[in-house]
Amino acid sequence: MQKCEKCNAHFSWSEISKSCWRNYKPIKCNECDTTHKITVPGRLIFVSFTILPMLILAYSPPPYRNGFVILGIAIFIFIIGSLMAPFFVTYKKSL
């Protein structure tokens, strides 16, 4: 999990998740008030965990034709990706 570059305090999963879903809003450390912004690779990681798997599923020919099954799998992938992404995104101290 990401931590503050100044005081090494860990950011919570919910802080990182909220930051990603609110247009990559900067995170402010609760201990030292240092502001951290998400990095470009962090944004790409977030997108690759949430949106990209659903797009791949949507544009690949599945072995079945039931639209509800495809939609259910896409939603499942989206939820799992959303839960895992905050563990992998990276933040840098803003200037």
Side-chain angles (χ1 to χ4, degrees):
M1 188 68 76
Q2 183 74 35
K3 57 186 175 179
C4 177
E5 290 184 1
K6 187 175 180 183
C7 68
N8 291 327
H10 287 276
F11 298 132
S12 69
W13 178 90
S14 62
E15 286 177 316
I16 296 172
S17 181
K18 287 177 188 175
S19 168
C20 290
W21 286 110
R22 294 181 179 165
N23 287 334
Y24 307 112
K25 181 181 168 192
I27 295 177
K28 194 171 194 179
C29 179
N30 293 332
E31 303 293 326
C32 65
D33 290 334
T34 304
T35 304
H36 293 76
K37 288 186 175 182
I38 192 167
T39 60
V40 172
R43 290 179 184 211
L44 293 174
I45 289 170
F46 182 73
V47 168
S48 67
F49 270 87
T50 56
I51 308 300
L52 190 62
M54 290 191 318
L55 290 175
I56 291 171
L57 179 68
Y59 289 108
S60 64
Y64 38 82
R65 298 273 180 205
N66 190 344
F68 290 113
V69 172
I70 295 170
L71 182 63
I73 293 171
I75 290 171
F76 178 75
I77 291 171
F78 177 74
I79 291 170
I80 295 299
S82 296
L83 293 174
M84 290 177 49
F87 291 104
F88 298 102
V89 296
T90 55
Y91 284 81
K92 282 287 226 187
K93 185 169 70 169
S94 64
L95 302 174

